Amino acid sequence: MMNSRRVPNDKSCTDFPCDFALVRLLRPFPGMEFILFSRRSAMDYCLSYFSAFNLLISSSRPFVSSSAANAMVRAPLVPESTPGAAMERELAVYYGHLPEIQGVRLQKEPKGKVDLLIRDLNSASTRKNVALHICNTKVLPSSLLPIGADFKGFITSPEFTYLQIASKLDFIGTILAGSALCSDYYLNQDGHGGVSQRQNGPLTNRAAIAKFLSTQERKRGIVPAKRALQHIVEKARSPREASLALLLCLPYNLGGFNLGTVELNKPIELENRYGEKITRIPDLTIQLKDKRQKQAMVLLDYDPAVTHSGNQKILRDLDRENELVTGMQCPHFSVSGEMLKSFESVQGLARQIRESTGIVAHDTTISDLEMRQRTLWARLFKSS
């Protein structure tokens, strides 16, 4: 699912190409940063498109977000041209081999090139280590965020990045990318299952993306970006959790099983066997509805034996399942990683969910429905 090459996954201000000596001096002397910020020069580079996306989803702190620091920075301008061959090589080392999420890109460009945003069309020559993208229109200050404390390197915001890659991806890829940007995890090969959880919550959400897109009429990618937004799932704790939600609940025409609306990691209040009020958080909460408006709810947890490792945690998962079923009086399913390796198992799961609720599948005239579902499953879960 992810690139096996080790990359920095928790990038602080000293992890990036910049004036390293000067940045390190800032740490022992609080207050010196104000001197640096007040006399900074224009940014040297701005990561964009897939380089921005891959950094956003593989770092716990992909940009400087301190309100005090940002208050010191005037509205940045996109660099006029490339930062030069030496820095391009350095950027390729840092950002050219970041991990990616399975299924986002169907055809991946050769690894190593870094996507940079520049203003000058005449500077957009073919380069060995970078791919240059022209941005000669006015950019909102909030759309470009500083990566490091020296304010030489910037990255496009999660919302701007979503719009950019929507112009390059197919529709499913755009949904997957948006779901990753709205997730609670970041890719970390040292974390359990290859991910770690963001301490401060998702980088963005559907509402923030929608607000940004409303200011970007006629920009490349705006149409698919807006269309895909309604299908994005928020607050996933792993790429596979999001993929499972999408496979089960996307509409038939997109290759999903069209089970209904889904929310991830939604807190549920209930009573346990002792009559005590408790809160439980199933991975997926699916609301099903048939054509007669009959409704039912199903709870689903993904791979508890793996996601929550250790015997004690497995026992707590089983206890949690019993509490959910008893407290909510609705079906609860556990899905293992092994099940997701088989299309027939996933197909059977969707059928069992419907049978457990009595919600009949919607009629469809799509003649190749199973092929579409199999294709989406293979894209999301089949090992390459």
Side-chain angles (χ1 to χ4, degrees), residues 161-180:
T161 302
Y162 171 73
L163 174 60
Q164 289 179 329
I165 60 179
S167 69
K168 301 288 187 180
L169 294 170
D170 70 346
F171 197 59
I172 293 296
T174 300
I175 296 170
L176 286 168
S179 298

Side-chain angles (χ1 to χ4, degrees), residues 113-289:
K113 282 205 171 188
V114 176
D115 295 298
L116 297 181
L117 214 58
I118 63 171
R119 279 183 289 143
D120 185 8
L121 180 63
N122 296 323
S123 299
S125 57
T126 301
R127 314 287 293 186
K128 180 180 179 181
N129 295 301
V130 299
L132 301 175
H133 305 272
I134 306 300
C135 180
N136 50 20
T137 58
K138 186 177 181 181
V139 177
L140 296 172
S142 58
S143 297
L144 304 177
L145 303 171
I147 297 174
D150 68 339
F151 289 80
K152 293 289 188 181
F154 278 66
I155 185 172
T156 49
S157 69
E159 299 80 16
F160 192 12
T161 302
Y162 171 73
L163 174 60
Q164 289 179 329
I165 60 179
S167 69
K168 301 288 187 180
L169 294 170
D170 70 346
F171 197 59
I172 293 296
T174 300
I175 296 170
L176 286 168
S179 298
L181 291 172
C182 294
S183 70
D184 276 334
Y185 70 85
Y186 64 95
L187 301 181
N188 175 10
Q189 71 173 24
D190 294 327
H192 189 70
V195 300
S196 293
Q197 301 305 304
R198 296 191 183 279
Q199 298 303 308
N200 298 318
L203 296 173
T204 188
N205 53 55
R206 286 196 304 254
I209 293 175
K211 183 178 180 180
F212 173 80
L213 295 180
S214 69
T215 69
Q216 303 294 309
E217 296 301 330
R218 300 183 181 179
K219 294 291 179 64
R220 286 185 61 193
I222 190 66
V223 173
K226 284 186 172 181
R227 285 181 54 232
L229 191 57
Q230 63 180 311
H231 300 298
I232 287 174
V233 294
E234 300 176 305
K235 299 183 179 180
R237 291 180 178 172
S238 72
R240 288 206 157 192
E241 192 176 275
S243 293
L244 177 59
L246 293 172
L247 180 60
L248 292 177
C249 295
L250 280 176
Y252 289 139
N253 65 306
L254 296 178
F257 285 90
N258 198 34
L259 289 183
T261 59
V262 60
E263 292 181 271
L264 276 62
N265 300 297
K266 176 186 177 182
I268 293 177
E269 302 292 332
L270 48 85
E271 287 188 3
N272 65 12
R273 69 193 72 174
Y274 309 109
E276 300 168 329
K277 295 288 185 181
I278 58 175
T279 300
R280 288 294 178 261
I281 307 177
D283 293 339
L284 276 65
T285 301
I286 302 175
Q287 296 282 352
L288 296 87
K289 183 189 298 184

Side-chain angles (χ1 to χ4, degrees), residues 32-33 85 104 189 337:
M32 282 188 64
E33 57 265 42
V104 172
Q189 71 173 24

